């Protein structure tokens, strides 16, 4: 940074947010908080606010560099600004910050008066926020009411030039047992698109088990057991929402923490259980050995580049196994052949023979998926091994048993040894629903290799993730003081079947809890070769509405589970039975076909379908979570109070797509979307998903803010809780004018409920509060 004026704020080193509050008092003002505001108010977490007619200064990018050492976090913000006009402009920095921070430095480019910055206590900050909202007639900053504020001195931004501003502040992070939390305040507005490059380095005296963010996707690099570096992934840099980051300090074996959100509607609330593995396995510690069976499609459609890539992928898997682990290779077309009659130990000799076997695999003939699966699942694994199958196919079953339900059920019955079946669909001509279901029911995952993608890369990527199993056959239960199961304390736990945990992985479980008494979870399983249980006791009195991400993540996963059920209703019972008989996606035709083969009544199937669809629509509307089947909820003109019409529209979409489209790109996109939702750990503010042509789409007509969801209609944002009262419709019980004394009283109530972000939405706002529908008129 050239021509930089250094901060003259050394006297602020020990003066944080709380200290200013104490010095100024509740009704007092600091000197700088009372001075007039500049013409450009730069709030990097939201926007630039300007009362002048000319084009304001623009924020082009924000970089945040954070160092957390034990419980002290130092945050450095570099804000890039640009003046798009022909005249010099002046600006000042306003940065919402958590309570308890102190400024360590403030600099900018160019010559000006001494650069200074101070921290304003919450009450002084609130007066600044309210002053700007009243002057600009813009409620945007209200979402930060309740936080402290760093306010800088005025600095210049020259005509048609850039300005680089740097602010550094320091404060304590919060801790809850073995968990440490860091928050970087930012807007939840879906219209916010300024890119943020955020890097966080965590230094701890004790080993760090895992790092988690419910707000943004992270990329983590472990520097040592006690030091990690994370940064926001490229695809999350323009995602809205405060950066929430938590890490767990390692405990004996498994480490765990609980985030809880209270909700009287469910007679308790929602929970997110986060568990992490040790940072590093002790030298000489026992390990769970893997037994891997590679099942390779060698039908005629695999000829050429695909069979070569599959062969190379097999070589990579063999190379990735440790000495003493076991493997087998099954190659199938219309017939099934295998390298050995059962898995063999990896040695130099066995690998050499396996490579020779693979070199002789050629592509020709049909596709007998049924027999290949059964043969892979048949052998009894060696004691102490974790058995898994990597199953590849590039087409539909054409030989032997070809019906989806029959293959799925046969695999389920044959899997008496609990093998994990990781499925890979190569190309678009695969039954994605079948591959996904087989994987899902065996604690595994499905992967789809799109046309022009490399099979070897996809298979190798999955297999690398399966290195070093630490906890297998994972089980979660709630126990009482005597470690005996205590049923009835939790509901709708997702996932219902917990995955195995491999080195570097974390476990995220969501569900509902009943009551508010302390709760003890026990996570058990095969831990490094020994059966072991890890109990964790949590105080539900710490539940808070600030954990609004918890019920929304639970709802997203629950919708995926419901969609799985609907998808399964349309299972292919035979190409000539469903795909021909129900080609027009008419409900009755589909249900007739299913009933004909399964023996289940049409009425029972129809009732189940309606129940699943109704719950999908209810959760989608309540939490503002859209899928390709419910995207119409965001469409202008959709009446959110007409439940029957909404359910009918959703059912028509689900019949056509989820139940009847099971092959091709239009099926692959559905499995991509549900797989993301089923394991979702990060908020999806913009409701982006893959459409039927595998393009990523999103919407700005739904706003998730705090623990509420709003739908945009005309100039109005409608609270989903207001829309849920069909009898009342969308009629307001009372109307409040923007900026009126009653308006500010309403804002105060929202602040007390940790819902102030609701008031920041632009235009008219219909909100459900205190059992009433309240209409807030737009600013004029």
């Amino acid at each position: 940074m050239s021509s930089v004026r250094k901060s003259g704020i050394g006297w602020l080193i020990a003066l944080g947010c709380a200290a200013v509050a104490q010095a100024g008092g509740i009704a007092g003002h600091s000197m700088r908080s009372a001075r007039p505001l500049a013409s450009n108010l730069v709030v990097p977490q939201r926007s630039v606010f300007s009362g002048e007619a000319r084009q304001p200064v623009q924020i082009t990018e924000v970089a945040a560099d954070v160092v957390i050492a034990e419980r002290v976090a130092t945050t450095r913000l570099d804000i890039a600004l640009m003046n798009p006009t022909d005249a010099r402009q002046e600006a000042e920095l306003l940065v919402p910050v958590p309570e308890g921070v102190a400024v360590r430095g403030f600099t900018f480019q160019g010559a000006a008066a001494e650069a200074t910055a101070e921290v304003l206590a919450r009450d002084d900050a609130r007066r600044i926020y309210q002053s700007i909202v009243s002057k600009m007639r813009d409620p945007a900053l209200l979402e930060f009411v309740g936080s402290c504020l760093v306010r800088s001195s005025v600095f210049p931004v020259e005509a048609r030039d850039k300005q680089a501003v740097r602010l550094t502040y320091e404060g304590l992070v919060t801790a809850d047992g073995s968990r440490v939390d860091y928050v970087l305040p930012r807007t939840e507005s879906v219209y916010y698109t300024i890119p943020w490059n955020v890097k966080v380095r965590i230094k701890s005296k004790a080993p760090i088990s895992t790092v988690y963010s419910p707000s943004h996707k992270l990329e983590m690099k472990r520097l040592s057991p006690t030091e990690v570096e994370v940064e926001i992934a490229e695809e999350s840099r323009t995602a809205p929402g405060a950066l929430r980051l938590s890490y767990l300090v390692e405990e004996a074996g498994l480490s765990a923490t609980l985030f809880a959100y209270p909700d009287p509607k469910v007679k308790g609330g929602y929970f997110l259980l986060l568990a992490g593995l040790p940072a590093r396995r002790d030298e000489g510690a026992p390990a769970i050995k893997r037994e891997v069976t590679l099942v390779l499609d060698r039908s005629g459609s695999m000829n050429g580049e695909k069979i070569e890539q599959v062969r190379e992928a097999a070589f990579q898997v063999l190379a990735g196994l440790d000495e003493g682990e076991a493997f087998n290779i099954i190659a199938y077309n219309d017939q099934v052949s295998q390298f050995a009659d059962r898995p063999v130990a990896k040695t130099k000799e066995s690998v050499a023979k396996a490579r020779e076997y693979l070199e002789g695999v050629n592509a020709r003939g049909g596709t007998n998926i049924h027999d290949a699966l059964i043969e892979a699942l048949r052998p009894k694994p060696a004691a102490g091994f974790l058995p898994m199958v990597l199953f590849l196919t590039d087409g539909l079953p054409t030989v032997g048993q070809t019906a989806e339900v029959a293959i799925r059920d046969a695999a389920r019955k044959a899997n008496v040894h609990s093998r994990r079946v990781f499925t890979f669909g190569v190309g678009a001509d695969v039954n994605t629903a079948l591959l996904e279901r087989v994987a899902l029911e065996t604690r595994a995952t499905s992967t789809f290799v799109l046309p022009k993608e490399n099979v070897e890369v996809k298979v190798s990527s999955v297999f690398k993730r399966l290195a070093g199993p630490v906890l297998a056959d994972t089980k979660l239960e709630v126990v009482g003081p005597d470690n005996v199961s205590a049923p009835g304390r939790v509901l709708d736990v997702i996932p219902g079947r917990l995955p195995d945990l491999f080195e570097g992985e974390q476990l995220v479980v969501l569900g509902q809890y009943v009551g508010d008494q302390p709760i003890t979870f026990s996570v058990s399983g095969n831990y490094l070769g020994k059966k072991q249980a890890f109990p964790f006791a949590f105080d539900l009195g710490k539940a808070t509405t600030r954990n609004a991400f918890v019920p929304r993540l639970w709802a997203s996963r629950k919708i995926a589970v419901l969609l799985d059920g609907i998808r399964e209703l349309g299972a292919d019972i035979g190409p000539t039975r469903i795909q021909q008989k129900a080609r027009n996606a008419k409900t009755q035709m589909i249900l007739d076909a299913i009933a004909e083969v399964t023996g289940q009544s049409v009425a029972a199937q129809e009732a189940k379908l309606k129940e699943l669809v109704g719950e999908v629509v209810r959760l989608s509307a309540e939490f503002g979570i859209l899928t390709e089947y419910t995207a119409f909820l965001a469409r202008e003109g959709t009446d959110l109070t007409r439940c029957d019409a909404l359910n009918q529209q959703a059912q028509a979409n689900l019949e056509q797509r989820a139940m009847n489209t099971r092959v091709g790109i239009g099926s692959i996109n559905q499995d991509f979307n549900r797989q993301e939702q089923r394991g979702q750990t990060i908020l999806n503010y913009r409701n982006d998903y893959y459409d039927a042509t595998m393009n990523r789409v999103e919407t700005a007509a739904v706003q998730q803010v705090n623990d509420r969801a709003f739908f945009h209609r005309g100039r109005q944002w409608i609270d989903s809780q207001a829309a849920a009262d069909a009898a009342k419709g969308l009629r307001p019980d009372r109307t409040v004018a923007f900026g009126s004394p009653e308006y500010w009283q309403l804002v105060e109530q929202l602040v007390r409920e940790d819902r102030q972000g609701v008031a920041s939405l632009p235009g008219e706002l219909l909100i459900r509060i205190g059992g009433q529908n309240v209409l807030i008129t737009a600013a004029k």
Side-chain angles (χ1 to χ4, degrees):
M1 198 179 293
S2 59
S3 303
V4 172
R5 293 190 57 86
K6 293 190 176 180
S7 169
I9 54 171
W11 60 277
L12 273 174
I13 286 178
L15 191 57
C17 175
V20 175
Q22 186 177 8
I26 296 298
H29 293 262
S30 67
M31 291 181 61
R32 289 187 181 84
S33 67
R35 63 175 165 80
L37 296 167
S39 56
N40 287 277
L41 305 175
V42 178
V43 184
Q45 296 105 317
R46 190 62 168 87
S47 184
V48 175
F49 298 86
S50 176
E52 297 188 355
R54 64 181 174 183
Q55 193 173 3
V57 167
Q58 298 173 357
I59 305 170
T60 59
E61 187 178 27
V62 180
D65 194 289
V66 184
V67 176
I68 303 175
E70 291 303 309
R71 288 198 58 192
V72 178
T74 303
T75 303
R76 187 185 73 202
L77 298 179
D78 287 304
I79 303 109
L81 304 174
M82 184 184 71
N83 180 357
T85 71
D86 294 322
R88 184 179 193 262
Q89 297 198 56
E90 290 188 334
E92 64 177 284
L93 195 64
L94 299 176
V95 180
V97 293
E99 188 172 7
V101 308
V103 173
R104 288 290 182 254
F106 171 64
T107 62
F108 56 81
Q109 291 179 334
E114 184 180 32
T116 59
E118 66 171 339
V119 187
L120 305 182
R122 281 179 296 182
D123 293 295
D124 281 342
R126 182 174 304 190
R127 280 185 280 271
I128 295 280
Y129 296 138
Q130 292 182 352
S131 172
I132 296 170
V133 168
S134 298
K135 180 180 178 181
M136 306 294 181
R137 311 301 290 174
D138 182 347
L141 284 179
L142 290 179
E143 66 180 310
F144 300 116
V145 172
S147 65
C148 297
L149 181 70
V150 172
R151 185 181 183 187
S152 78
S153 56
V154 175
F155 55 86
V157 187
E158 302 298 337
R160 302 289 177 186
D161 202 358
K162 299 177 181 179
Q163 173 63 278
V165 180
R166 172 174 289 179
L167 172 70
T168 304
Y169 63 86
E170 185 178 275
L172 295 177
V173 291
T174 58
D176 183 355
S178 64
R179 187 183 85 229
V180 177
D181 299 326
Y182 171 83
V183 178
L184 180 59
R186 294 169 71 244
T187 181
E188 289 190 291
S189 172
V190 292
Y191 300 117
Y192 185 81
T193 58
I194 296 170
W196 279 60
N197 298 312
V198 181
K199 292 184 178 181
V200 182
R201 178 167 289 206
I202 303 170
K203 303 176 182 179
S204 172
K205 290 181 180 178
I208 298 166
S209 171
T210 193
V211 182
Y212 169 66
S213 171
S215 60
H216 294 79
K217 183 178 180 180
L218 301 177
E219 294 176 347
M220 187 177 91
K221 179 180 179 182
R222 186 175 288 278
L223 306 177
S224 74
T226 60
E227 187 171 357
V228 298
E229 188 174 86
V230 298
E231 62 179 308
I232 290 183
E234 179 71 31
E235 60 265 39
S236 281
R237 288 179 183 171
T238 57
L243 170 63
R244 297 188 59 140
L245 183 148
S246 300
Y247 68 90
L248 295 183
V249 174
E250 186 177 306
E251 298 179 300
L254 208 64
S255 305
T257 189
L258 195 78
F259 299 91
Y261 171 94
D263 189 347
K265 295 196 301 294
V266 298
K267 296 181 172 51
Y270 297 86
F271 71 86
L272 184 154
L273 177 71
L274 170 68
L277 300 170
R280 179 180 294 170
R281 196 171 67 201
D282 292 337
E283 290 289 335
I288 302 174
K289 293 183 178 181
R290 296 168 295 175
E291 177 203 276
V292 178
T293 301
L294 280 161
V295 185
L296 311 178
D297 185 344
R298 66 181 190 98
S299 59
S301 56
M302 288 290 292
N303 193 35
E305 186 178 33
K306 283 195 287 188
I307 195 67
E308 291 299 327
Q309 291 178 358
V310 166
R311 189 179 288 114
E312 289 300 321
F315 292 156
Q316 292 291 328
V317 170
L318 293 176
L321 289 170
D322 294 330
E323 290 289 327
E325 292 187 313
F327 72 91
N328 198 5
I329 303 167
I330 294 175
Y332 71 98
N333 45 23
D334 46 302
Q335 301 292 323
V336 178
S337 63
Q338 51 189 333
F339 170 69
D341 61 355
R342 62 184 58 253
V344 299
K346 178 185 175 179
T347 63
K348 289 182 179 180
E349 293 75 18
S350 63
V351 169
K353 290 179 180 179
R355 292 182 68 91
E356 184 179 351
Y357 174 82
L358 287 167
E359 292 291 355
V361 171
N362 296 312
R364 60 173 65 92
T367 308
N368 192 339
I369 288 177
H370 175 274
D371 288 2
L373 259 177
I374 300 306
E375 186 56 41
L377 299 173
R378 178 189 56 78
K380 183 179 180 179
F385 280 69
L386 179 63
M388 56 182 71
V389 174
L390 305 186
F391 188 95
L392 284 79
T393 182
D394 81 328
L396 300 172
T398 60
V399 176
Q401 180 58 260
T402 60
E404 178 184 328
V405 168
I407 295 174
R408 184 195 67 205
D409 290 348
R412 182 185 296 146
K413 292 175 183 177
N415 196 19
V416 294
H417 304 302
S418 300
R419 278 184 166 84
R420 282 63 166 157
V421 185
F422 293 87
T423 58
F424 296 83
V426 181
D429 191 26
V430 293
N431 186 322
T432 66
L434 171 61
L435 297 180
E436 186 183 38
R437 176 53 54 179
V438 168
L440 186 61
E441 291 185 353
T442 61
R443 300 180 189 257
T445 58
S446 55
T447 301
F448 298 100
V449 185
L450 299 177
K452 298 183 179 180
E453 289 187 329
N454 190 295
V455 181
E456 178 192 350
V457 171
K458 282 293 187 77
V459 174
S460 297
S461 176
V462 171
F463 188 67
K464 285 178 182 177
R465 185 176 60 79
L466 303 179
V470 177
L471 182 65
D473 302 319
T474 319
K475 181 181 178 182
L476 175 71
E477 62 180 335
V478 178
V479 298
D482 51 1
N483 283 330
V484 176
S485 181
R489 290 300 312 275
V490 295
L491 301 167
D492 279 327
V493 176
I494 307 172
R497 181 185 289 109
L498 301 189
D500 304 314
L501 292 182
F502 297 82
E503 288 182 2
E505 289 191 329
Q506 59 187 206
L507 177 67
V508 178
V509 181
L510 289 125
Q512 297 177 356
Y513 64 85
V514 178
D516 56 6
Q517 297 302 308
I519 191 168
T520 299
F521 288 98
S522 174
V523 181
S524 61
N526 176 1
Y527 181 76
L528 295 176
K530 295 182 179 179
K531 187 171 178 58
Q532 195 165 343
F534 301 92
F536 301 98
F538 300 109
D539 179 8
L540 293 174
K542 296 180 180 180
T544 171
T545 54
R546 287 189 292 274
N547 290 335
F549 61 90
V550 174
R552 185 160 283 119
L553 288 174
W554 172 86
S556 189
R557 286 191 179 189
K558 181 64 176 179
I559 289 170
V561 171
L562 296 167
L563 293 176
D564 284 340
I566 294 171
R567 183 87 155 144
E568 195 169 357
L569 277 177
D572 175 19
I573 307 180
T576 61
R577 306 296 285 276
I578 286 292
Q579 292 179 347
Q580 293 177 14
K581 194 169 183 179
R583 192 167 299 282
N584 292 327
K586 299 297 184 182
T587 308
Q588 198 62 43
M589 296 178 71
I590 293 175
L591 295 174
D592 283 344
I594 294 173
E596 179 184 338
V597 177
T598 64
Q600 297 179 12
S601 72
V602 172
Q605 292 288 345
E606 189 171 25
K608 183 177 181 181
L609 176 61
K610 287 184 177 180
E611 180 184 3
L612 292 172
V613 170
E615 191 65 3
V616 167
V617 173
R618 184 187 71 81
L619 291 173
S620 297
E622 179 180 349
F623 291 94
I625 298 169
L626 302 186
T627 64
E628 64 170 299
Y629 319 108
T630 56
F632 66 89
L633 293 172
R635 191 171 58 221
E636 191 70 43
T638 298
D639 188 343
L640 296 173
T641 65
R642 297 182 60 196
C643 294
D644 289 344
L646 298 179
N647 290 348
Q648 288 174 10
Q649 177 66 66
Q651 183 164 321
N653 294 343
L654 284 158
E655 289 165 8
Q656 181 182 6
R657 298 281 294 125
M659 295 179 72
N660 204 43
T661 304
R662 313 185 76 76
V663 178
I665 292 294
S667 182
I668 291 175
N669 87 291
Q670 296 182 70
D671 294 312
F672 268 55
N673 291 332
R674 282 202 325 286
Q675 194 169 111
E676 282 187 1
Q677 267 193 283
R678 197 185 299 117
Q680 189 171 340
T681 60
I682 303 166
L683 294 174
N684 182 7
Y685 280 100
R686 295 194 175 100
N687 278 296
D688 60 316
Y689 59 84
Y690 289 102
D691 67 10
T693 58
M694 285 301 292
N695 290 313
R696 202 75 175 169
V697 296
E698 60 183 40
T699 180
V702 178
Q703 174 69 66
Q704 302 169 1
V705 56
N706 300 135
D707 59 354
R708 297 292 180 91
F710 290 81
F711 292 80
H712 198 251
R713 294 292 185 271
R715 298 178 61 250
Q716 190 175 93
W717 286 99
I718 298 173
D719 188 344
S720 65
Q721 294 194 13
D725 191 346
K728 184 184 292 291
L730 297 177
R731 296 186 302 275
D733 294 298
R734 61 190 177 106
T735 301
V736 175
F738 175 88
S740 66
E742 190 178 7
Y743 172 81
W744 290 113
Q745 291 174 5
L746 191 64
V747 171
E748 289 294 327
Q749 181 177 347
L750 290 170
V751 171
R752 290 193 297 271
E753 297 175 358
D754 288 318
R755 295 188 175 104
Q756 55 267 45
V758 168
S760 69
L761 295 175
E764 287 191 348
L765 179 65
L766 182 66
I767 179 177
R768 185 79 169 177
I769 186 169
Q772 291 186 320
N773 289 352
V774 179
L775 177 65
I776 300 175
T777 61
K780 297 180 180 178

